[in-house]
Amino acid sequence: VQLQASGGGLVQVGGSLRLSCAASGRTWGSYAWFRQAPGKVREFVASISWSSRNTYYTDSLKGRFTISRDNAKNTVYLQMNSLKPEDTAVYYCAASSDPLPGAMGYDWWGQGTQVTVSS
């Protein structure tokens, strides 16, 4: 599986961004978004099953971030609303052959896209 993340950029506090992750190759399975802020470890953001029936979020981001996917386009999205300076990070998409989404066990990773929230 090859993953290409895009959609990052500079946004003001309270703004929104939608990240995209285009997948190619073997695309079946669960997908997730992670992020890594400067000087911090990579953390789980959200994941979604192949059918989109199951989603899983880190508790602190529920209600502001929404993960979705379009299997016809082999693309996974992360809609981010009400952005805060602490959301500044490199965002990575990841894929797993596991049909159920979770916070770990991802085998394939994209290159990351930078999100910067300015105050």
Side-chain angles (χ1 to χ4, degrees):
V1 180
Q2 291 79 46
L3 303 172
Q4 181 72 39
S6 62
L10 176 64
V11 63
Q12 291 188 333
V13 170
S16 298
L17 278 177
R18 189 177 78 157
L19 305 183
S20 299
C21 176
S24 59
R26 180 187 174 188
T27 58
W28 187 89
S30 298
Y31 285 74
W33 288 96
F34 289 76
R35 68 184 184 182
Q36 187 168 17
K40 296 188 177 181
V41 299
R42 187 175 298 184
E43 65 172 345
F44 170 77
V45 174
S47 59
I48 189 167
S49 61
W50 174 251
S51 67
S52 300
R53 187 171 301 166
N54 302 101
T55 56
Y56 181 47
Y57 295 88
T58 193
D59 287 343
S60 61
L61 298 176
K62 285 181 181 177
R64 291 198 301 123
F65 287 18
T66 303
I67 191 170
S68 62
R69 66 189 296 169
D70 183 339
N71 289 341
K73 296 181 179 179
N74 291 330
T75 301
V76 178
Y77 304 99
L78 183 69
Q79 178 67 43
M80 306 184 294
N81 298 327
S82 302
L83 284 163
K84 305 175 181 180
E86 52 264 42
D87 295 319
T88 295
V90 177
Y91 284 71
Y92 298 89
C93 59
S96 168
S97 57
D98 191 331
L100 294 178
M104 59 182 66
Y106 290 87
D107 302 306
W108 299 279
W109 293 82
Q111 85 290 358
T113 184
Q114 175 71 47
V115 172
T116 303
V117 184
S118 68
S119 55

